[in-house]
Amino acid sequence: MSTTVEHSEELVAAIELELSALFRRSRSASLRLARRVHPEMDAAGYALISQIELGAGTGVRASDVAHVLGLDKSTVSRGITQLENLGLIERIGDPDDGRARLLRLTTSGAERYEAMRTQRQTEFRAILDRWNPTDLADLGRLLGRLNTDLG
């Protein structure tokens, strides 16, 4: 095997190792962030509420949340029920389709989510403030490229 191919394989292996570590940390962080929103919310609830929050005010369909997260409808339905029982989200009528229901954060859910997000951004900013602007730009560009290629 040529030296270039061996070096390329070593680089890919190193990247895979770092991504695996990042994904493990991400799963753990999701649970911590969920508990900041509500002590009884789990990591799956955090993923759901994050997607529902994107529909801020107007609401989102459960099927759209399931599609974006790559989850089946029954999994999303159970999570939505939990978030409703915790008082974090509510179902509202869809103004475009009287038969459909949309999901949106309750006032309490929005306040709790925003408090968690503000704290998370402060912590993240403290870490990234140590990076130089060129590295930050490179990271953003390369993560965007990786997400596009993975999608």
Side-chain angles (χ1 to χ4, degrees), residues 91-128:
R91 295 175 198 255
I92 58 170
D94 183 341
D96 298 328
D97 180 353
R99 301 165 297 160
R101 307 290 284 163
L102 299 175
L103 307 169
R104 74 173 176 198
L105 299 182
T106 62
T107 301
S108 173
E111 289 170 355
R112 289 169 172 257
Y113 186 83
E114 184 57 32
M116 175 279 306
R117 181 177 26 209
T118 299
Q119 184 178 3
R120 181 190 68 198
Q121 287 175 346
T122 299
E123 293 166 358
F124 206 52
R125 200 171 291 115
I127 292 166
L128 294 179

Side-chain angles (χ1 to χ4, degrees), residues 59-77:
V60 296
R61 290 178 181 250
S63 59
D64 292 338
V65 172
H67 176 74
V68 168
L69 295 176
L71 299 172
D72 62 75
K73 291 179 186 178
S74 64
T75 300
V76 169
S77 180

